[in-house]
Amino acid sequence: GEQVEQLPSILRVQEGSSASINCTYENSASNYFPWYKQEPGENPKLIIDIRSNMERKQTQGLIVLLDKKAKRFSLHITDTQPGDSAMYFCAANSNNRIFFGDGTQLVVKP
Amino acid sequence: GPKVLQIPSHQIIDMGQMVTLNCDPVSNHLYFYWYKQILGQQMEFLVNFYNGKVMEKSKLFKDQFSVERPDGSYFTLKIQPTALEDSAVYFCASSSYRGQDTQYFGPGTRLLVL
């Protein structure tokens, strides 16, 4: 969706390295930013989210950062494993709706 | 975590026929959504629904599409008549609050229009 831009569209990394996905949003009033992971043939599953009262959140090898001034947020996967290979979607709320980015296909090479 | 169910998981129909996709949202959720996803591509918002009414719909929500949730039963997406370009995976989602809370997705219905 045009309200949320997500890059890169494809990301290939070596197992054990880190991976970063970046998103920008348009509405400065956005205050909720979820990240979804979608494996082939599966539905999107929420993996982590951050609200605008935080700049950083970490859980189980995932770190999300939020820069409200730049209207930018990012997902960082540390120590990637082959099981992290999937499509990842960022999202942001705006005008009572959630807008999704176009997705990043992450490929973790063993 | 909270579960959204979708029935059927797969549906194959001939172009021009009607199809109804069923969603059983999380029990205490009030907001319901349909998304369309063509293989490997982005999630495309179709419509959101609250209190018996369509709140917002996208350009993809053609006149042939309709949604309802009669008497708190399934939240349904009906396509009548179907077209070839309607072939996709349709995901239902639900949330407690609109736009500020987690949307939980169902497993999807894979629709193939021949």
Side-chain angles (χ1 to χ4, degrees), chain A residues 31-32 36 38 41-44 46 49 51 87 89 93 95-98 100-102, chain B residues 35 37 40-43 45 48 56 91 98-107 110:
Chain A
N31 60 6
Y32 176 60
Y36 287 86
Q38 186 180 26
E42 300 283 322
N43 57 344
L46 180 78
D49 57 15
R51 295 186 187 271
M87 181 75 89
F89 292 98
N93 67 336
N95 298 326
N96 290 315
R97 249 193 66 190
I98 298 276
F100 286 85
D102 287 347
Chain B
Y35 292 85
Q37 187 180 42
Q41 297 185 23
Q42 71 263 42
M43 300 284 294
F45 170 79
N48 62 21
E56 192 174 357
F91 289 102
R98 186 161 60 123
Q100 294 188 36
D101 201 23
T102 303
Q103 289 184 22
Y104 292 93
F105 285 82
R110 282 139 191 85

Side-chain angles (χ1 to χ4, degrees), chain B:
Chain B
K3 287 263 196 257
V4 175
L5 304 177
Q6 286 186 244
I7 301 166
S9 57
H10 296 76
Q11 181 85 53
I12 302 174
I13 58 169
D14 291 323
M15 182 177 65
Q17 283 190 311
M18 182 196 76
V19 68
T20 300
L21 310 183
N22 299 290
C23 173
D24 188 9
V26 178
S27 60
N28 60 345
H29 283 182
L30 301 175
Y31 295 92
F32 315 118
Y33 313 82
W34 283 104
Y35 292 85
K36 177 182 179 182
Q37 187 180 42
I38 293 172
L39 185 65
Q41 297 185 23
Q42 71 263 42
M43 300 284 294
E44 296 185 284
F45 170 79
L46 289 176
V47 65
N48 62 21
F49 188 87
Y50 168 73
N51 199 26
K53 288 186 286 222
V54 170
M55 303 299 290
E56 192 174 357
K57 57 186 180 180
S58 72
K59 287 180 274 199
L60 293 177
F61 195 79
K62 306 179 293 185
D63 291 343
Q64 299 89 320
F65 287 29
S66 62
V67 290
E68 63 175 355
R69 194 186 188 208
D71 300 322
S73 61
Y74 288 141
F75 173 52
T76 62
L77 172 66
K78 186 186 292 186
I79 309 174
Q80 182 178 26
T82 49
L84 296 176
E85 60 265 24
D86 296 329
S87 295
V89 182
Y90 290 84
F91 289 102
C92 171
S94 70
S95 68
S96 297
Y97 301 102
R98 186 161 60 123
Q100 294 188 36
D101 201 23
T102 303
Q103 289 184 22
Y104 292 93
F105 285 82
T109 293
R110 282 139 191 85
L111 177 64
L112 178 60
V113 182
L114 303 175

Side-chain angles (χ1 to χ4, degrees), chain A residues 1-8 21-28 30 32-33 35 65-75 89-94 99-104:
Chain A
E2 56 273 7
Q3 291 237 8
V4 177
E5 299 290 331
Q6 181 172 351
L7 290 171
I21 303 171
N22 300 292
C23 292
T24 57
Y25 59 98
E26 289 187 0
N27 188 350
S28 54
S30 295
Y32 176 60
F33 307 90
W35 286 87
L65 302 175
L66 173 62
D67 182 344
K68 285 177 289 187
K69 199 175 282 186
K71 291 191 281 188
R72 189 166 52 214
F73 59 114
S74 55
L75 173 69
F89 292 98
C90 65
N93 67 336
S94 176
F99 288 83
F100 286 85
D102 287 347
T104 296

